[in-house]
Amino acid sequence: MSGRLSLMATLVLLVFLAVFSGVLERAFRTSLGEAKARELQLHVYTLLAVAEPDGDTLQLPLSLPEPRFNQPDSGLIGAVMDARGRVIWRSPSALSLPNFSALPLPLPLRQGQQVFAEVQMPDLNQPYTSFRQGIAWGLDNELQFTFVVLEDAAPLYAQLKQFNTTLWRWLGVGSLALIAVQLLVLQWGLAPLRGLTRALKNMQHGGADRLQGHFPQELVPLTDNLNLLIENERRQREKTRHTLGDLAHSLKTPLAVLKGMDVAADPEGAQRALAEQVERMDSIISYQLKRAVTSSPKSILRGVPVKPLAEKILSALDKAYRHKTVDAELLCDDSVLFYGDEGDLMEMLGNLLDNGYKYGGGKLVAKIRNTEGRRGLEIIVSDNGPGLSESQWQQVIQRGVRADQKQQGQGIGLAVVVDIVESYHGTIGIVPPAQRDDEYFGDVDLGGLTLRVAL
């Protein structure tokens, strides 16, 4: 990733420098051209200052104030054109040019019109910069002239070339410095990711059972979630191993009973024992399967709407206990969410509400709300049944223990709920009557058993 980022940043830097250098060169070229135009215009004013009318033409002195006009091949040339475009005067510096009369200049200019351009002198390979200005002479401006000043453009191009050379030299040095600084910044900025990679490799090679190290604040949520996933996977793996061990251990006794049966001596007793042990093994397998599939998905961030699921469970229980009239009330807002596995929520609510239907006195209230910054969940189920003491509660959460032996069931529902709650690091317990007199518990207290689950 460091190489890709470095390559991309270098390409972006080079493109930026190319565009930036082009803009600077164009700006310098424009500034240089404007300065040259003003310089040549001053030379035009110098010629105007010494020009004298002579009928319908102009006369200029043989010796001009600007010495370069007087020197052949000086690179600075002055000329005057009449209204018909004929060259009526040229400076001594142009005498060495053989075809000056064929100068590729446009038509004469009107009074006050100014043109700065580049021209190619006849029979010469180097370009010249030219400045032309239209002048009107006489009382009624009846005489029209165009003053022309040309200068060899070689020094101008040399200056521009020197600027480009200097510009690219410093831009090259600057770009190398920026690339070096960029590499250092990338090395420093990606150091935590490299540390995270080393921590992962160390964990993969058995050096640690979780990500360890000092990470910046931006990576803390990532490392925390990774550690949570690793911990969940490790606990689930241990849980599966323990469940398989418990299942094998639990099946030893029924299998031993089946092996010891004497079918020939007591066929009826053997049949009863067979049915009992098969039912027991079915109960054991059912419980262990439920325990094995119980998840611990605290890393799940998607919220599961609680109210539709609770209403679905209540509807199913109404049908299952249609022989028993139960007045059930659900107190839950539409916005309540459970941040975990939907199957765990259904298992918890199903067992808690089923017990309320089964052991309650005909009335049931379930109140569910979010806590702890909208990510926690509190479930309170209350009925008007006989209730349980604290000692009885500690018994019924054990495997296979039922509060009412007359009721059908295997006695593992609450144990499954306890396992799920503990997997979420939550709490479950009965709410004593003395703690139900506040405003919150007042609307759910029916006088029987009140269970509270906090996740």
Side-chain angles (χ1 to χ4, degrees):
M1 184 173 65
S2 176
R4 292 195 301 270
L5 288 176
S6 300
L7 179 60
M8 183 58 63
T10 301
L11 291 177
V12 171
L13 177 62
L14 292 178
V15 171
F16 171 77
L17 290 178
V19 174
F20 182 67
S21 64
V23 172
L24 284 181
E25 181 183 1
R26 185 177 183 85
F28 182 76
R29 184 189 295 270
T30 301
S31 176
L32 204 61
E34 292 176 352
K36 180 57 66 175
R38 290 192 296 269
E39 179 184 346
L40 296 181
Q41 186 179 27
L42 291 177
H43 290 312
V44 170
Y45 292 158
T46 300
L47 296 178
L48 278 173
V50 298
E52 295 291 339
D54 184 11
D56 58 352
T57 185
L58 291 177
Q59 290 293 331
L60 283 89
L62 295 177
S63 178
L64 299 172
E66 171 57 50
R68 295 175 61 196
F69 282 129
N70 304 318
Q71 300 173 5
D73 297 328
S74 65
L76 182 64
I77 301 171
V80 179
M81 302 169 61
D82 60 12
R84 289 181 293 177
R86 296 176 302 174
V87 177
I88 61 174
W89 176 87
R90 58 181 177 174
S91 64
S93 58
L95 296 178
S96 61
L97 298 178
N99 296 323
F100 185 81
S101 58
L103 191 68
L105 295 175
L107 295 176
L109 303 179
R110 299 186 302 273
Q111 179 185 3
Q113 187 177 2
Q114 299 174 344
V115 175
F116 174 74
E118 182 180 296
V119 297
Q120 189 74 29
M121 295 295 292
D123 301 330
L124 297 178
N125 293 326
Q126 74 258 29
Y128 274 69
T129 56
S130 70
F131 186 86
R132 297 182 296 130
Q133 183 169 349
I135 302 295
W137 212 283
L139 297 178
D140 298 326
N141 297 329
E142 66 276 9
L143 300 178
Q144 299 289 331
F145 300 99
T146 299
F147 279 69
V148 181
V149 174
L150 300 100
E151 187 175 17
D152 187 3
L156 186 69
Y157 282 104
Q159 189 176 359
L160 184 61
K161 182 178 179 181
Q162 182 181 3
F163 171 79
N164 287 333
T165 302
T166 304
L167 175 65
W168 278 106
R169 181 186 299 118
W170 284 107
L171 284 179
V173 173
S175 62
L176 291 177
L178 286 176
I179 291 174
V181 171
Q182 164 193 295
L183 293 176
L184 293 176
V185 170
L186 286 175
Q187 291 292 325
W188 173 78
L190 296 177
L193 291 179
R194 289 192 294 272
L196 179 61
T197 303
R198 288 193 297 269
L200 285 172
K201 290 183 178 178
N202 183 43
M203 188 185 65
Q204 290 174 352
H205 292 117
D209 57 357
R210 66 194 313 273
L211 293 177
Q212 297 177 347
H214 298 285
F215 301 103
Q217 191 65 31
E218 296 81 1
L219 291 181
V220 169
L222 173 62
T223 55
D224 288 347
N225 281 332
L226 286 176
N227 282 328
L228 186 58
L229 288 171
I230 294 168
E231 178 65 19
N232 285 338
E233 190 275 337
R234 183 185 63 80
R235 287 190 308 187
Q236 192 64 37
R237 187 172 61 250
E238 292 179 356
K239 188 174 186 179
T240 302
R241 186 173 64 250
H242 293 164
T243 300
L244 292 175
D246 291 346
L247 178 61
H249 179 75
S250 301
L251 291 177
K252 285 182 180 180
T253 302
L255 289 174
V257 173
L258 293 177
K259 288 180 181 180
M261 287 191 311
D262 189 355
V263 179
D266 186 6
E268 294 183 0
Q271 186 176 3
R272 288 195 302 270
L274 177 62
E276 290 176 358
Q277 297 308 316
V278 169
E279 182 179 357
R280 182 178 180 185
M281 286 189 293
D282 181 70
S283 175
I284 291 172
I285 293 173
S286 176
Y287 168 71
Q288 295 296 347
L289 286 177
K290 287 184 179 180
R291 182 184 176 194
V293 300
T294 301
S295 59
S296 179
K298 281 208 143 185
S299 58
I300 296 177
L301 302 179
R302 180 183 59 86
V304 178
V306 176
K307 188 175 181 180
L309 192 60
E311 290 175 342
K312 184 186 300 184
I313 294 173
L314 289 174
S315 177
L317 290 175
D318 286 337
K319 296 177 182 178
Y321 291 91
R322 56 181 174 270
H323 62 281
K324 180 180 181 181
T325 302
V326 178
D327 182 13
E329 182 181 3
L330 176 63
L331 303 177
C332 180
D333 293 335
D334 294 332
S335 60
V336 177
L337 298 176
F338 170 63
Y339 291 91
D341 184 72
E342 183 176 351
D344 289 345
L345 178 62
M346 180 174 290
E347 191 73 24
M348 286 190 295
L349 288 179
N351 284 297
L352 293 176
L353 296 176
D354 181 71
N355 285 339
Y357 270 72
K358 185 183 298 183
Y359 301 108
K363 290 185 178 181
L364 177 70
V365 176
K367 187 169 186 177
I368 309 173
R369 67 169 184 168
N370 282 126
T371 59
E372 298 181 4
R374 304 291 300 171
R375 297 194 66 85
L377 188 71
E378 184 180 58
I379 304 172
I380 297 178
V381 178
S382 180
D383 59 46
N384 62 338
L388 293 173
S389 64
E390 184 63 32
S391 60
Q392 291 175 321
W393 166 253
Q394 295 300 327
Q395 292 179 359
V396 298
I397 61 176
Q398 302 300 319
R399 306 176 187 179
V401 178
R402 301 196 305 270
D404 188 354
Q405 299 298 329
K406 297 180 181 180
Q407 296 285 351
Q408 295 182 353
Q410 300 171 352
I412 64 173
L414 284 177
V416 171
V417 174
V418 171
D419 285 344
I420 294 174
V421 171
E422 289 179 350
S423 71
Y424 283 86
H425 304 290
T427 59
I428 180 173
I430 60 174
V431 181
Q435 299 179 9
R436 306 179 199 170
D437 55 356
D438 60 5
E439 181 180 355
Y440 180 69
F441 285 100
D443 55 2
V444 294
D445 183 20
L446 298 180
L449 177 65
T450 299
L451 285 178
R452 178 178 180 271
V453 177
L455 302 175

